[in-house]
Amino acid sequence: MDMFIQLLISGVLVGTVYGLIALGFVLVYKSSGILNLAQGELVMLGAYICYTGINVLHLNIALAFLFTFAVSGVMGIVISRVAIRPLVGQPLLSVIMMTIVLSIGLRGIAILAWGAETEGLSIFGHSYYHIAGAVVSEQSIWAFALSVLAVVAFALYFQKTKGGRAMRAVAEDQQAAQSVGIKIINVFDHSWLIAAVVGALGGILLASGSGVSIELSHLGLKVLPVVLIGGLDSIQGAIIGGVIVGIAENMAVGYLDPVVSDWGLVGGGLRNVFPYILALFILVVRPHGLFGQKRIERI
Amino acid sequence: MFNKPAGTFNASYTKDEAIVRTRTQWGLLIILVGILAVVPYYGPLASDYWINFLIYVAITVISVQGLNILTGYCGQISLGQAAFMAVGAYTTAILSSKAGWPFLACLPMAGLMATAVGFIFAIPAVRVKGFYLAITTLAAHFVIIYLIISLEFTGGSIGIYIERPRIGSIIFDSPQSFYMLVIGVTIVMTVFAKNIVRTKVGWAFIAIRDNDLAAKVMGVNPFTYKLLAFSISAFYAGIAGSLLVYHLQFAHPEHYGLTQAIWLLGILIVGGMGSINGAIFGSIFVRLIDEITNIHISPALGNLFPSLAGQMSAALGLLVFTAIVGIFIIYEPRGLSHRWQLLKASYRLWPFSYWT
C-alpha cells in the first residue's frame, strides 16, 4: 500500500507538468488547427536556455526564468512566421510534416549550441518531505506548484483578457472571428509564443529533476499520448490526461516492470513506452480521447 | 498538361497500359540499366566509398518506395517506417547468425515478419486518421524499439554481427558484388511498386487518400485497403532493413531511431509524394546533399568556428535537412518529380516551352 501511495503521488506530481506541456500543444491546435509535433523539442530547448541563463550568464533563478521565457517566446514567434505562416490553407499532411521536420531542426540547433551534453540543472532545494506516507522531493513539489500556477494563470488569461478571448474566438470559427476584426495571423503568433513559453517552463521543471539533455525531447514527446488520452481539443482533457499518464507510467515502473522482466524484457525502459501503449488502447476504445469532440465528417 | 511525345499514338490497349511506351524510352531504359551495371567498375564512382554510398541510396529507395505507397498514395502518414526496418533487420540478423539461414531465405522472411508486425499495429492505426494516425505510428515505433532493446535474443543494446550474404556458393563479400545484389532487389521492388499503384489496388489507395468517405461510398472499403497499404509499406521496410543489416553486417537499435523515420518522410516530401520517380529522386538528392554536408561543408565550417567543430558534423546535417525539406514543403510541395514532369513537358514542346 505504501508503494501504491508513493507511486500515485509522484505520478500526480510529474503528471501535472505533462499536463502543462500538453496545454501548450492543445492551445496551438485549438487556435490554428496545427498539430505541433515539435513540442518535445521546444521543451528541451527551454531547459537548455535556462541552463545557459544560470550557468553561463549567472542570472538568479527568477531572472533566468524570465530570460528563458523571453528567448523561447521569440523562438515561438519566429517559428510561426517563418515556417507556419506560409502553410495557411495547405493540406494537413504538409503542416504535420513541417512540424516534424522542425523538430529535427530544433534538435540540430540544440546540438550545435550545447553539444548534446547532459548537464545538471539544480535550481530547487534537495530536501525531502513525507506526505501521507510517501517521500516527495522538494523539486517535484516546486514543479507541481508552478505547473498548477501556470495552468490557473492561463485559464484566467483565456477568460479575462482580450488576447485570450481572441484566441477562443478563432478556435471557435476562424471566418467569424475575422469578420469581427480579429487578425488571425496575430493569433497564430500569439499561440505559438504561448506554446513555446509553456513548453520551456515544462522543460525547466522536468530538467530540474532529470537534468538537461537531448533526451528531454523524448520526455517532452510524452505530451502526445497525453493529448491522445485527453482529447486533442480539450484543455481540461490535457490536464487530466497529463495526470493519468504520470500515474500510469509510475505504476508501470512499480508493478509492471518486475512482471515483464520475468517475460525476458530486461532493462526497465517500460516507463517511456507505457504511455504510448496506454494511448494505443484508448484509441481502440475511444478514438477521440476521453474529452475530445467527436467530429462528424461529411463529403 | 503533360503531353506525349509528338506523333506517338496508342493504337491498342496494351500499348496504352505500357510503362515504357516509345522506342526512345526503351533505349534510355537500357542505357540506364547499363550505367547502373557498369558504375562500380569504371568511371568516377568506381571506388569503395562511392559504391557504399550507392548501396545506401538504393536501400533508402526501397524503404521510401514503401512509405510512398502508404503516405504518398494512400495518404496515411507514418512515423513507424524505421521501426519496421528494424524488424526486418533483426529478423535477418537472428535468422542468419543464429540459425544460419541463407540470403534468399532471410530476405523474404524479413519482409514477411515486418508485414506481420506492421499488420498488428495497423489495426488500431486504420481506425484513426491524420494526427491521431501519426501518434499511433509513433507509438508503434517506440514499442518496437523498446522490445528490441529489452528482449534477450535481439542482443539488446549490444547488437548482433552477421556474415556476408551468400546465394549457393557465391559469397557477396566485395562492395561491387553486394551493390549488384542490392540494385537488383531495388529494381524488382520499384517495378513491383509501379505495378501496385497503377492497378486496382493503387486506384483504391488514391481514392482513399483524396477522400476516404467518398471512397467508401463508391464501394472501396477503407479499412481493408488501409490495412493493405500498411502491410505493403512494412514489407518494403522489412526488405530495406534486411539489406541494410547485410550492408552494415551489424544490427543495432541506434540505426533505426525516430530521426531515421523522419528522414524517410522528408526524403519522400523532397522527391514528391505519390510518384515512383519521386522516391528515387528524393533518395539520391537528400543523401547526396547530406554526404556533401558531412564531408565538405561541416569540416570547413568547423575550421571557421573551432569552438563548435566537435558538434558541427552532427548538427549541420540536421539543419541542412530541415532547411531543404522546409523549403520544399513551402515552395514545391509536389517535390522533385513535379519539376521533372515540368522539365519533360517543356522539352517536348520546345521551342514553345512557355505553353506549359
Side-chain angles (χ1 to χ4, degrees), chain A residues 25 35 86 93 96-98 100-101 104-105 108 111-112 218 224 228 232 264-266 269-270 273 276 280 283-284 287 297 299, chain B residues 77 124 127 129 131-132 135-136 138-139 142-143 146-147 150-151 213-214 259 262 265 269 273 308 311 315 319 322 325 329-330:
Chain A
F25 183 94
L35 305 147
L93 197 66
I96 294 184
M97 265 317 294
M98 184 56 110
I100 292 175
V101 168
I104 292 272
I111 293 175
L112 192 63
H218 281 303
L224 301 174
L228 270 193
L232 261 186
L265 290 165
V266 290
L270 197 61
V273 185
Y276 291 98
L280 278 180
L283 270 182
V284 173
E297 286 184 59
I299 294 174
Chain B
I77 193 167
R127 286 168 55 92
K129 46 173 93 165
F131 165 74
Y132 286 100
I135 307 304
T136 312
L138 189 69
F142 280 123
V143 171
Y146 163 73
L147 289 177
S150 305
L151 285 170
L213 224 54
T259 320
I262 299 177
L265 267 176
I269 298 251
M273 283 191 287
L308 296 175
Q311 54 256 39
L319 291 174
T322 307
V325 180
I329 292 176
I330 294 174

Short mmCIF file of all heavy atoms in Angstrom, two decimals, chain A residues 25 35 86 93 96-98 100-101 104-105 108 111-112 218 224 228 232 264-266 269-270 273 276 280 283-284 287 297 299, chain B residues 77 124 127 129 131-132 135-136 138-139 142-143 146-147 150-151 213-214 259 262 265 269 273 308 311 315 319 322 325 329-330:
data_model
loop_
_atom_site.label_atom_id
_atom_site.label_comp_id
_atom_site.label_asym_id
_atom_site.label_seq_id
_atom_site.Cartn_x
_atom_site.Cartn_y
_atom_site.Cartn_z
N PHE A 25 0.35 22.51 -26.28
CA PHE A 25 0.03 21.81 -27.52
C PHE A 25 -1.42 22.02 -27.94
O PHE A 25 -1.72 22.37 -29.08
CB PHE A 25 0.31 20.32 -27.29
CG PHE A 25 0.10 19.49 -28.50
CD1 PHE A 25 1.14 19.20 -29.34
CD2 PHE A 25 -1.16 19.01 -28.80
CE1 PHE A 25 0.95 18.44 -30.46
CE2 PHE A 25 -1.36 18.26 -29.93
CZ PHE A 25 -0.31 17.98 -30.75
N LEU A 35 -1.00 20.84 -35.57
CA LEU A 35 -0.55 19.86 -34.59
C LEU A 35 0.94 19.99 -34.46
O LEU A 35 1.68 19.75 -35.41
CB LEU A 35 -0.92 18.48 -35.10
CG LEU A 35 -2.40 18.46 -35.40
CD1 LEU A 35 -2.70 17.57 -36.54
CD2 LEU A 35 -3.14 18.08 -34.16
N PRO A 86 3.49 30.43 -44.03
CA PRO A 86 3.33 30.14 -45.46
C PRO A 86 2.42 28.94 -45.72
O PRO A 86 2.01 28.72 -46.87
CB PRO A 86 4.75 29.81 -45.92
CG PRO A 86 5.64 30.35 -44.89
CD PRO A 86 4.89 30.32 -43.62
N LEU A 93 -1.30 17.17 -44.07
CA LEU A 93 -0.06 16.41 -44.13
C LEU A 93 1.15 17.33 -44.21
O LEU A 93 2.16 17.10 -43.53
CB LEU A 93 -0.11 15.48 -45.35
CG LEU A 93 0.90 14.36 -45.34
CD1 LEU A 93 0.59 13.39 -44.23
CD2 LEU A 93 0.90 13.64 -46.67
N ILE A 96 1.72 18.89 -40.72
CA ILE A 96 2.30 17.93 -39.78
C ILE A 96 3.76 17.68 -40.13
O ILE A 96 4.63 17.68 -39.26
CB ILE A 96 1.52 16.59 -39.81
CG1 ILE A 96 0.10 16.79 -39.29
CG2 ILE A 96 2.22 15.55 -38.98
CD1 ILE A 96 -0.68 15.51 -39.19
N MET A 97 4.03 17.52 -41.43
CA MET A 97 5.41 17.28 -41.85
C MET A 97 6.30 18.44 -41.45
O MET A 97 7.44 18.25 -41.03
CB MET A 97 5.48 17.10 -43.37
CG MET A 97 5.44 15.70 -43.86
SD MET A 97 6.47 14.58 -42.93
CE MET A 97 8.11 15.21 -43.30
N MET A 98 5.77 19.67 -41.61
CA MET A 98 6.58 20.83 -41.27
C MET A 98 6.97 20.80 -39.80
O MET A 98 8.13 21.04 -39.45
CB MET A 98 5.81 22.10 -41.61
CG MET A 98 6.59 23.37 -41.39
SD MET A 98 8.15 23.39 -42.29
CE MET A 98 7.84 24.61 -43.52
N ILE A 100 7.15 18.18 -37.89
CA ILE A 100 8.06 17.05 -37.65
C ILE A 100 9.48 17.45 -38.05
O ILE A 100 10.45 17.20 -37.34
CB ILE A 100 7.62 15.82 -38.46
CG1 ILE A 100 6.30 15.27 -37.94
CG2 ILE A 100 8.67 14.74 -38.40
CD1 ILE A 100 5.76 14.13 -38.76
N VAL A 101 9.59 18.11 -39.22
CA VAL A 101 10.90 18.50 -39.71
C VAL A 101 11.50 19.57 -38.81
O VAL A 101 12.70 19.58 -38.54
CB VAL A 101 10.80 18.96 -41.16
CG1 VAL A 101 12.05 19.62 -41.60
CG2 VAL A 101 10.50 17.79 -42.05
N ILE A 104 13.41 18.19 -36.04
CA ILE A 104 14.79 17.81 -36.38
C ILE A 104 15.69 19.04 -36.36
O ILE A 104 16.80 19.02 -35.84
CB ILE A 104 14.81 17.17 -37.77
CG1 ILE A 104 14.09 15.84 -37.74
CG2 ILE A 104 16.22 17.00 -38.28
CD1 ILE A 104 14.94 14.69 -37.38
N GLY A 105 15.19 20.16 -36.93
CA GLY A 105 15.99 21.37 -36.97
C GLY A 105 16.30 21.90 -35.58
O GLY A 105 17.43 22.29 -35.28
N GLY A 108 18.90 19.99 -34.10
CA GLY A 108 20.19 20.39 -34.65
C GLY A 108 20.72 21.63 -33.96
O GLY A 108 21.91 21.71 -33.62
N ILE A 111 22.07 20.69 -30.59
CA ILE A 111 23.38 20.01 -30.66
C ILE A 111 24.47 21.03 -30.98
O ILE A 111 25.55 21.02 -30.39
CB ILE A 111 23.35 18.91 -31.74
CG1 ILE A 111 22.40 17.80 -31.31
CG2 ILE A 111 24.73 18.34 -31.96
CD1 ILE A 111 22.21 16.73 -32.35
N LEU A 112 24.15 21.96 -31.89
CA LEU A 112 25.15 22.96 -32.28
C LEU A 112 25.50 23.86 -31.10
O LEU A 112 26.66 24.16 -30.85
CB LEU A 112 24.59 23.79 -33.44
CG LEU A 112 25.60 24.68 -34.16
CD1 LEU A 112 26.67 23.83 -34.80
CD2 LEU A 112 24.89 25.50 -35.23
N HIS A 218 12.39 13.51 -25.88
CA HIS A 218 11.54 12.32 -25.83
C HIS A 218 10.57 12.42 -24.66
O HIS A 218 9.42 12.00 -24.75
CB HIS A 218 12.39 11.06 -25.70
CG HIS A 218 12.99 10.64 -26.99
ND1 HIS A 218 12.23 10.38 -28.10
CD2 HIS A 218 14.27 10.45 -27.37
CE1 HIS A 218 13.02 10.05 -29.10
NE2 HIS A 218 14.27 10.09 -28.68
N LEU A 224 2.28 13.81 -26.44
CA LEU A 224 1.40 13.28 -27.49
C LEU A 224 0.45 12.22 -26.96
O LEU A 224 -0.76 12.34 -27.18
CB LEU A 224 2.25 12.77 -28.66
CG LEU A 224 3.12 13.87 -29.25
CD1 LEU A 224 4.04 13.32 -30.31
CD2 LEU A 224 2.28 14.98 -29.84
N LEU A 228 -3.61 12.53 -26.72
CA LEU A 228 -4.45 11.46 -27.27
C LEU A 228 -5.44 10.97 -26.24
O LEU A 228 -6.60 10.72 -26.54
CB LEU A 228 -3.57 10.27 -27.67
CG LEU A 228 -3.01 10.24 -29.06
CD1 LEU A 228 -2.46 8.87 -29.34
CD2 LEU A 228 -4.10 10.56 -30.04
N LEU A 232 -7.84 15.93 -28.26
CA LEU A 232 -7.00 16.97 -28.83
C LEU A 232 -7.43 18.37 -28.49
O LEU A 232 -6.62 19.27 -28.36
CB LEU A 232 -7.06 16.86 -30.35
CG LEU A 232 -5.94 16.15 -31.05
CD1 LEU A 232 -6.14 16.28 -32.52
CD2 LEU A 232 -4.64 16.77 -30.63
N GLY A 264 11.30 -11.81 -19.82
CA GLY A 264 12.52 -11.64 -20.62
C GLY A 264 12.71 -10.24 -21.13
O GLY A 264 13.60 -10.00 -21.93
N LEU A 265 11.87 -9.29 -20.69
CA LEU A 265 12.06 -7.91 -21.11
C LEU A 265 12.85 -7.18 -20.03
O LEU A 265 12.29 -6.65 -19.07
CB LEU A 265 10.71 -7.21 -21.32
CG LEU A 265 9.92 -7.67 -22.52
CD1 LEU A 265 8.49 -7.22 -22.43
CD2 LEU A 265 10.55 -7.13 -23.78
N VAL A 266 14.18 -7.18 -20.18
CA VAL A 266 15.01 -6.59 -19.13
C VAL A 266 15.34 -5.15 -19.47
O VAL A 266 15.14 -4.69 -20.58
CB VAL A 266 16.30 -7.41 -18.95
CG1 VAL A 266 15.98 -8.75 -18.33
CG2 VAL A 266 17.00 -7.58 -20.27
N GLY A 269 12.89 -0.19 -19.43
CA GLY A 269 12.56 1.02 -20.19
C GLY A 269 11.06 1.23 -20.33
O GLY A 269 10.61 2.07 -21.09
N LEU A 270 10.30 0.45 -19.58
CA LEU A 270 8.85 0.46 -19.74
C LEU A 270 8.25 1.83 -19.45
O LEU A 270 7.24 2.21 -20.04
CB LEU A 270 8.23 -0.59 -18.82
CG LEU A 270 6.80 -0.99 -19.14
CD1 LEU A 270 6.73 -1.59 -20.52
CD2 LEU A 270 6.29 -1.99 -18.13
N VAL A 273 7.67 3.78 -22.55
CA VAL A 273 6.84 3.17 -23.58
C VAL A 273 5.39 3.07 -23.13
O VAL A 273 4.47 3.15 -23.94
CB VAL A 273 7.39 1.78 -23.95
CG1 VAL A 273 6.61 1.19 -25.09
CG2 VAL A 273 8.83 1.89 -24.31
N TYR A 276 2.56 5.25 -24.38
CA TYR A 276 2.15 5.01 -25.76
C TYR A 276 1.26 3.78 -25.86
O TYR A 276 0.30 3.76 -26.64
CB TYR A 276 3.38 4.84 -26.65
CG TYR A 276 4.14 6.12 -26.82
CD1 TYR A 276 5.26 6.39 -26.05
CD2 TYR A 276 3.73 7.08 -27.72
CE1 TYR A 276 5.95 7.58 -26.18
CE2 TYR A 276 4.40 8.27 -27.86
CZ TYR A 276 5.52 8.52 -27.09
OH TYR A 276 6.18 9.69 -27.21
N LEU A 280 -2.50 3.69 -27.25
CA LEU A 280 -2.99 2.78 -28.29
C LEU A 280 -4.29 2.14 -27.85
O LEU A 280 -5.25 2.05 -28.61
CB LEU A 280 -1.96 1.69 -28.58
CG LEU A 280 -0.82 2.05 -29.53
CD1 LEU A 280 0.10 0.87 -29.70
CD2 LEU A 280 -1.36 2.47 -30.87
N LEU A 283 -7.10 4.59 -27.89
CA LEU A 283 -7.51 4.88 -29.27
C LEU A 283 -8.44 3.81 -29.81
O LEU A 283 -9.37 4.11 -30.56
CB LEU A 283 -6.28 4.96 -30.16
CG LEU A 283 -5.65 6.32 -30.30
CD1 LEU A 283 -4.49 6.23 -31.25
CD2 LEU A 283 -6.67 7.29 -30.85
N VAL A 284 -8.15 2.55 -29.46
CA VAL A 284 -9.00 1.48 -29.97
C VAL A 284 -10.40 1.60 -29.38
O VAL A 284 -11.41 1.40 -30.05
CB VAL A 284 -8.37 0.11 -29.65
CG1 VAL A 284 -9.32 -1.01 -30.02
CG2 VAL A 284 -7.07 -0.04 -30.41
N PRO A 287 -11.67 6.50 -30.02
CA PRO A 287 -10.73 7.12 -30.95
C PRO A 287 -10.55 8.62 -30.75
O PRO A 287 -9.60 9.18 -31.26
CB PRO A 287 -11.34 6.82 -32.31
CG PRO A 287 -12.20 5.66 -32.10
CD PRO A 287 -12.72 5.76 -30.71
N GLU A 297 -18.07 13.65 -40.08
CA GLU A 297 -17.50 14.02 -41.36
C GLU A 297 -18.53 13.99 -42.46
O GLU A 297 -19.39 13.13 -42.50
CB GLU A 297 -16.37 13.07 -41.71
CG GLU A 297 -15.13 13.33 -40.90
CD GLU A 297 -14.02 12.43 -41.34
OE1 GLU A 297 -13.66 12.51 -42.52
OE2 GLU A 297 -13.55 11.66 -40.52
N ILE A 299 -19.00 14.63 -46.83
CA ILE A 299 -18.22 14.70 -48.07
C ILE A 299 -18.33 16.11 -48.65
O ILE A 299 -19.42 16.65 -48.75
CB ILE A 299 -18.75 13.68 -49.10
CG1 ILE A 299 -18.50 12.28 -48.57
CG2 ILE A 299 -18.06 13.87 -50.42
CD1 ILE A 299 -19.10 11.22 -49.43
N ILE B 77 -0.11 9.07 -42.99
CA ILE B 77 1.23 9.45 -42.52
C ILE B 77 1.75 8.39 -41.56
O ILE B 77 1.00 7.82 -40.78
CB ILE B 77 1.18 10.83 -41.85
CG1 ILE B 77 2.59 11.37 -41.65
CG2 ILE B 77 0.45 10.80 -40.53
CD1 ILE B 77 2.58 12.84 -41.30
N PRO B 124 -5.06 -0.79 -34.87
CA PRO B 124 -5.53 0.48 -34.28
C PRO B 124 -5.34 1.66 -35.22
O PRO B 124 -6.12 2.61 -35.20
CB PRO B 124 -4.67 0.64 -33.02
CG PRO B 124 -3.51 -0.22 -33.21
CD PRO B 124 -3.94 -1.34 -34.09
N ARG B 127 -8.11 2.82 -37.80
CA ARG B 127 -9.34 3.41 -37.25
C ARG B 127 -9.26 4.93 -37.15
O ARG B 127 -10.28 5.59 -37.00
CB ARG B 127 -9.61 2.83 -35.86
CG ARG B 127 -10.10 1.41 -35.87
CD ARG B 127 -10.05 0.85 -34.47
NE ARG B 127 -10.78 1.66 -33.51
CZ ARG B 127 -12.05 1.47 -33.20
NH1 ARG B 127 -12.72 0.51 -33.76
NH2 ARG B 127 -12.64 2.24 -32.30
N LYS B 129 -7.22 8.85 -38.18
CA LYS B 129 -6.57 9.48 -39.31
C LYS B 129 -5.82 10.73 -38.90
O LYS B 129 -5.87 11.15 -37.75
CB LYS B 129 -7.58 9.80 -40.40
CG LYS B 129 -8.84 10.44 -39.91
CD LYS B 129 -9.69 10.86 -41.07
CE LYS B 129 -10.68 9.82 -41.47
NZ LYS B 129 -11.71 10.39 -42.35
N PHE B 131 -3.59 13.31 -37.59
CA PHE B 131 -2.67 13.43 -36.47
C PHE B 131 -2.71 12.20 -35.56
O PHE B 131 -1.68 11.70 -35.12
CB PHE B 131 -3.03 14.67 -35.68
CG PHE B 131 -2.42 14.70 -34.34
CD1 PHE B 131 -1.08 14.97 -34.22
CD2 PHE B 131 -3.16 14.46 -33.22
CE1 PHE B 131 -0.50 15.00 -32.98
CE2 PHE B 131 -2.59 14.49 -31.98
CZ PHE B 131 -1.26 14.76 -31.86
N TYR B 132 -3.92 11.70 -35.29
CA TYR B 132 -4.04 10.52 -34.43
C TYR B 132 -3.23 9.37 -35.01
O TYR B 132 -2.61 8.60 -34.29
CB TYR B 132 -5.51 10.12 -34.29
CG TYR B 132 -6.30 11.02 -33.40
CD1 TYR B 132 -7.12 12.01 -33.91
CD2 TYR B 132 -6.23 10.89 -32.02
CE1 TYR B 132 -7.84 12.85 -33.09
CE2 TYR B 132 -6.95 11.71 -31.19
CZ TYR B 132 -7.75 12.69 -31.73
OH TYR B 132 -8.47 13.52 -30.91
N ILE B 135 0.47 9.76 -34.35
CA ILE B 135 0.83 9.35 -32.99
C ILE B 135 0.77 7.84 -32.84
O ILE B 135 1.60 7.24 -32.14
CB ILE B 135 -0.12 9.99 -31.97
CG1 ILE B 135 -0.17 11.48 -32.18
CG2 ILE B 135 0.33 9.67 -30.56
CD1 ILE B 135 1.15 12.12 -32.12
N THR B 136 -0.21 7.21 -33.49
CA THR B 136 -0.29 5.76 -33.40
C THR B 136 0.97 5.11 -33.96
O THR B 136 1.52 4.18 -33.37
CB THR B 136 -1.52 5.26 -34.16
OG1 THR B 136 -2.63 6.05 -33.78
CG2 THR B 136 -1.80 3.83 -33.85
N LEU B 138 3.81 6.55 -34.21
CA LEU B 138 4.90 6.90 -33.28
C LEU B 138 4.93 5.90 -32.12
O LEU B 138 5.99 5.43 -31.70
CB LEU B 138 4.67 8.31 -32.75
CG LEU B 138 5.78 8.95 -31.95
CD1 LEU B 138 6.94 9.25 -32.85
CD2 LEU B 138 5.30 10.23 -31.30
N ALA B 139 3.73 5.57 -31.63
CA ALA B 139 3.64 4.58 -30.55
C ALA B 139 4.20 3.25 -31.03
O ALA B 139 4.97 2.59 -30.30
CB ALA B 139 2.19 4.42 -30.11
N PHE B 142 7.98 3.40 -30.87
CA PHE B 142 8.58 3.29 -29.53
C PHE B 142 8.43 1.89 -28.97
O PHE B 142 9.34 1.36 -28.33
CB PHE B 142 7.96 4.32 -28.59
CG PHE B 142 8.53 5.69 -28.78
CD1 PHE B 142 7.71 6.77 -29.07
CD2 PHE B 142 9.89 5.91 -28.69
CE1 PHE B 142 8.23 8.04 -29.26
CE2 PHE B 142 10.42 7.17 -28.88
CZ PHE B 142 9.59 8.24 -29.16
N VAL B 143 7.27 1.26 -29.21
CA VAL B 143 7.06 -0.08 -28.66
C VAL B 143 8.02 -1.08 -29.31
O VAL B 143 8.67 -1.88 -28.62
CB VAL B 143 5.59 -0.51 -28.87
CG1 VAL B 143 5.41 -1.97 -28.50
CG2 VAL B 143 4.67 0.36 -28.04
N TYR B 146 11.55 -0.48 -28.12
CA TYR B 146 11.65 -0.92 -26.72
C TYR B 146 11.81 -2.44 -26.65
O TYR B 146 12.66 -2.95 -25.91
CB TYR B 146 10.40 -0.49 -25.95
CG TYR B 146 10.20 -1.20 -24.64
CD1 TYR B 146 11.01 -0.93 -23.55
CD2 TYR B 146 9.21 -2.17 -24.51
CE1 TYR B 146 10.83 -1.60 -22.35
CE2 TYR B 146 9.02 -2.84 -23.32
CZ TYR B 146 9.83 -2.56 -22.24
OH TYR B 146 9.66 -3.23 -21.07
N LEU B 147 10.99 -3.15 -27.44
CA LEU B 147 11.08 -4.61 -27.41
C LEU B 147 12.45 -5.08 -27.87
O LEU B 147 13.04 -5.99 -27.29
CB LEU B 147 9.98 -5.22 -28.30
CG LEU B 147 8.56 -5.10 -27.75
CD1 LEU B 147 7.56 -5.66 -28.73
CD2 LEU B 147 8.45 -5.82 -26.41
N SER B 150 14.96 -4.45 -25.14
CA SER B 150 14.76 -5.17 -23.89
C SER B 150 14.87 -6.68 -24.04
O SER B 150 15.25 -7.37 -23.09
CB SER B 150 13.38 -4.84 -23.30
OG SER B 150 13.26 -3.46 -23.16
N LEU B 151 14.50 -7.21 -25.21
CA LEU B 151 14.50 -8.67 -25.33
C LEU B 151 15.93 -9.20 -25.38
O LEU B 151 16.85 -8.51 -25.84
CB LEU B 151 13.74 -9.09 -26.59
CG LEU B 151 12.23 -9.00 -26.49
CD1 LEU B 151 11.59 -9.19 -27.85
CD2 LEU B 151 11.70 -10.01 -25.50
N LEU B 213 -14.10 9.00 -47.19
CA LEU B 213 -15.54 8.80 -47.07
C LEU B 213 -16.17 8.59 -48.44
O LEU B 213 -17.00 7.70 -48.66
CB LEU B 213 -16.15 10.03 -46.40
CG LEU B 213 -17.18 9.75 -45.32
CD1 LEU B 213 -16.61 8.82 -44.27
CD2 LEU B 213 -17.61 11.05 -44.67
N ALA B 214 -15.72 9.43 -49.40
CA ALA B 214 -16.22 9.28 -50.77
C ALA B 214 -15.83 7.92 -51.33
O ALA B 214 -16.63 7.26 -52.02
CB ALA B 214 -15.66 10.39 -51.64
N THR B 259 14.62 9.59 -35.65
CA THR B 259 15.18 10.52 -36.64
C THR B 259 15.20 9.88 -38.02
O THR B 259 14.93 10.53 -39.02
CB THR B 259 16.60 10.91 -36.22
OG1 THR B 259 16.60 11.09 -34.81
CG2 THR B 259 17.03 12.17 -36.87
N ILE B 262 11.88 10.06 -39.61
CA ILE B 262 11.60 11.41 -40.09
C ILE B 262 12.37 11.69 -41.37
O ILE B 262 11.85 12.32 -42.30
CB ILE B 262 11.91 12.44 -38.99
CG1 ILE B 262 11.04 12.15 -37.77
CG2 ILE B 262 11.70 13.85 -39.48
CD1 ILE B 262 11.32 13.05 -36.61
N LEU B 265 10.50 10.24 -44.26
CA LEU B 265 9.37 11.09 -44.64
C LEU B 265 9.85 12.32 -45.39
O LEU B 265 9.25 12.73 -46.39
CB LEU B 265 8.60 11.52 -43.39
CG LEU B 265 7.43 10.65 -42.96
CD1 LEU B 265 6.86 11.17 -41.66
CD2 LEU B 265 6.35 10.66 -44.02
N ILE B 269 8.98 13.73 -49.17
CA ILE B 269 8.47 15.07 -49.49
C ILE B 269 9.32 15.72 -50.57
O ILE B 269 8.81 16.29 -51.54
CB ILE B 269 8.48 15.97 -48.24
CG1 ILE B 269 7.58 15.39 -47.18
CG2 ILE B 269 8.16 17.41 -48.59
CD1 ILE B 269 6.34 16.14 -46.95
N MET B 273 5.49 13.29 -53.19
CA MET B 273 4.62 12.21 -52.74
C MET B 273 3.75 11.73 -53.89
O MET B 273 3.34 12.52 -54.74
CB MET B 273 3.75 12.68 -51.59
CG MET B 273 4.53 12.75 -50.30
SD MET B 273 3.45 12.99 -48.92
CE MET B 273 3.00 14.67 -49.15
N LEU B 308 33.04 25.25 -32.20
CA LEU B 308 31.87 24.43 -32.48
C LEU B 308 32.22 23.18 -33.28
O LEU B 308 31.34 22.41 -33.65
CB LEU B 308 30.83 25.23 -33.26
CG LEU B 308 30.23 26.44 -32.56
CD1 LEU B 308 29.32 27.20 -33.50
CD2 LEU B 308 29.44 26.00 -31.35
N GLN B 311 30.72 19.51 -32.47
CA GLN B 311 29.33 19.12 -32.71
C GLN B 311 28.85 19.50 -34.10
O GLN B 311 27.73 19.20 -34.46
CB GLN B 311 28.42 19.74 -31.64
CG GLN B 311 28.53 21.23 -31.50
CD GLN B 311 29.32 21.59 -30.26
OE1 GLN B 311 30.31 20.93 -29.95
NE2 GLN B 311 28.92 22.61 -29.54
N ALA B 315 25.31 18.36 -36.01
CA ALA B 315 24.22 19.33 -36.06
C ALA B 315 23.90 19.80 -37.47
O ALA B 315 22.74 19.96 -37.84
CB ALA B 315 24.56 20.53 -35.18
N LEU B 319 20.35 20.40 -39.62
CA LEU B 319 19.88 21.73 -40.00
C LEU B 319 19.68 21.83 -41.51
O LEU B 319 18.68 22.38 -41.98
CB LEU B 319 20.87 22.80 -39.52
CG LEU B 319 20.92 22.96 -38.00
CD1 LEU B 319 22.03 23.91 -37.60
CD2 LEU B 319 19.59 23.49 -37.48
N THR B 322 16.54 20.01 -42.43
CA THR B 322 15.36 20.81 -42.11
C THR B 322 15.13 21.89 -43.14
O THR B 322 14.00 22.09 -43.61
CB THR B 322 15.53 21.46 -40.73
OG1 THR B 322 15.87 20.46 -39.80
CG2 THR B 322 14.27 22.16 -40.30
N VAL B 325 13.91 20.32 -46.58
CA VAL B 325 12.54 19.83 -46.57
C VAL B 325 11.56 20.98 -46.34
O VAL B 325 10.51 21.05 -46.98
CB VAL B 325 12.37 18.73 -45.50
CG1 VAL B 325 10.95 18.22 -45.51
CG2 VAL B 325 13.31 17.59 -45.78
N ILE B 329 8.50 21.95 -48.73
CA ILE B 329 7.10 21.97 -48.29
C ILE B 329 6.45 23.30 -48.67
O ILE B 329 5.31 23.35 -49.12
CB ILE B 329 6.99 21.73 -46.77
CG1 ILE B 329 7.42 20.32 -46.42
CG2 ILE B 329 5.56 21.93 -46.30
CD1 ILE B 329 7.43 20.05 -44.94
N ILE B 330 7.21 24.39 -48.50
CA ILE B 330 6.61 25.70 -48.74
C ILE B 330 6.54 26.01 -50.23
O ILE B 330 5.51 26.46 -50.74
CB ILE B 330 7.40 26.79 -47.99
CG1 ILE B 330 7.24 26.59 -46.49
CG2 ILE B 330 6.92 28.18 -48.37
CD1 ILE B 330 8.08 27.51 -45.66
#
